[in-house]
Amino acid sequence: GEKTILKERPRPKDEPVVLGWMWLSMVLNGAVLSAVIIGVYIVSLMHYCDGQIFQADIDKLDDFDSKLMDARTVAFISLVWSENIRSY
């Protein structure tokens, strides 16, 4: 931090910690990240589950548990990498 931070006056009590533009940024960031990860999950379902994306259709596939696990793993790894990239 800055060397003179303790010499500055504290913020007013009525000033919010999270400002309006920060809320907007957080909501937009969450919406974009959610949309991307849902898209990745749908694409991975199509890849691993023989083009099926609905649960009723996937349940009819042979070894559907393993195929679902692979699609979920791809989505989770994408989420982790997205958060790592976003943090820098």
Side-chain angles (χ1 to χ4, degrees), residues 2 7 9 11 14 17 20-22 28 32 35-36 41 46 49 53 57-58 61 65 67 69 73 76 83-84 86:
E2 297 176 20
K7 295 179 183 177
R9 304 227 3 109
R11 65 177 177 77
D14 58 344
V17 176
W21 66 269
M22 293 175 181
L28 287 177
V32 168
V36 168
Y41 183 58
M46 290 172 27
C49 296
I53 59 170
D57 298 330
I58 294 172
L61 298 174
D65 287 332
K67 294 177 180 185
M69 183 177 60
T73 301
F76 182 72
E83 287 297 321
N84 284 334
R86 188 180 65 87

Side-chain angles (χ1 to χ4, degrees), residues 10-75:
R11 65 177 177 77
K13 289 183 181 180
D14 58 344
E15 181 181 321
V17 176
V18 180
L19 302 174
W21 66 269
M22 293 175 181
W23 279 111
L24 179 63
S25 174
M26 288 187 287
V27 168
L28 287 177
N29 188 11
V32 168
L33 184 62
S34 297
V36 168
I37 297 305
I38 289 170
V40 166
Y41 183 58
I42 290 172
V43 169
S44 64
L45 278 175
M46 290 172 27
H47 176 74
Y48 287 106
C49 296
D50 304 329
Q52 305 299 325
I53 59 170
F54 296 111
Q55 187 68 43
D57 298 330
I58 294 172
D59 287 342
K60 296 174 187 174
L61 298 174
D62 294 332
D63 195 27
F64 70 92
D65 287 332
S66 176
K67 294 177 180 185
L68 271 178
M69 183 177 60
D70 290 343
R72 291 174 182 161
T73 301
V74 169

